[in-house]
Amino acid sequence: MPDLAPIHHVKIPVSDVRASSQWYQRVLGLQVTIEFTEDGELRGVALGAPDGTTQIALRHDPERAAALSGFDLVALGVPTRDGIHAWADHLAAIDQKHGGLVTGHHGGTVLVGLHDPDGIEIRLYAD
């Protein structure tokens, strides 16, 4: 069977591209790498971590965003369990609510209950 590389990017539907882009930048430290404009209107963005390890695309699609509200769509990897605690500290420093830290199925640490502006849950996970 041919090889697969790590996931290239995850595309998340959003109701407001600018607001969501600002949230992902402020909360997760991602940077805009590409803007997608159609008919003179911003319809999507690609964001990436400065080190290139994480890429997320946001696409204007209010109906799908509403349907995913409350769903834990993606778990972003964090290299260490101490890193999860550093994320919890960062979120507290910027007054970003989340659901706390829990133990994952394989004994890892998971930060749960971090919701983007559309209510889509983004989890942070360290094995």
Side-chain angles (χ1 to χ4, degrees):
M1 182 167 299
D3 292 336
L4 289 173
I7 292 172
H8 184 271
H9 73 275
V10 173
K11 187 181 292 184
I12 300 173
V14 298
S15 61
D16 183 326
V17 175
R18 284 198 197 286
S20 291
S21 176
Q22 290 169 357
W23 184 89
Y24 281 87
Q25 290 175 70
R26 181 179 64 82
V27 173
L28 297 178
L30 302 179
Q31 300 170 343
V32 174
T33 57
I34 304 171
E35 290 188 342
F36 300 96
T37 303
E38 297 171 6
D39 299 323
E41 191 174 323
L42 182 64
R43 304 293 288 171
V45 295
L47 302 126
D51 65 3
T53 57
T54 302
Q55 297 182 91
I56 293 177
L58 306 176
R59 180 72 176 162
H60 184 255
D61 193 333
E63 288 179 17
R64 285 189 176 97
L68 288 171
S69 182
F71 185 71
D72 56 320
L73 183 66
V74 63
L76 301 176
V78 175
T80 67
R81 293 179 190 175
D82 286 342
I84 293 288
H85 292 276
W87 273 104
D89 292 344
H90 161 71
L91 296 172
I94 64 170
D95 199 29
Q96 177 63 53
K97 292 181 171 54
H98 60 84
L101 303 175
V102 300
T103 301
H105 292 294
H106 300 289
T109 303
V110 185
L111 187 143
V112 300
L114 177 62
H115 293 97
D116 78 359
D118 288 296
I120 297 169
E121 184 172 349
I122 307 297
R123 293 186 174 189
L124 301 177
Y125 197 106
D127 288 321

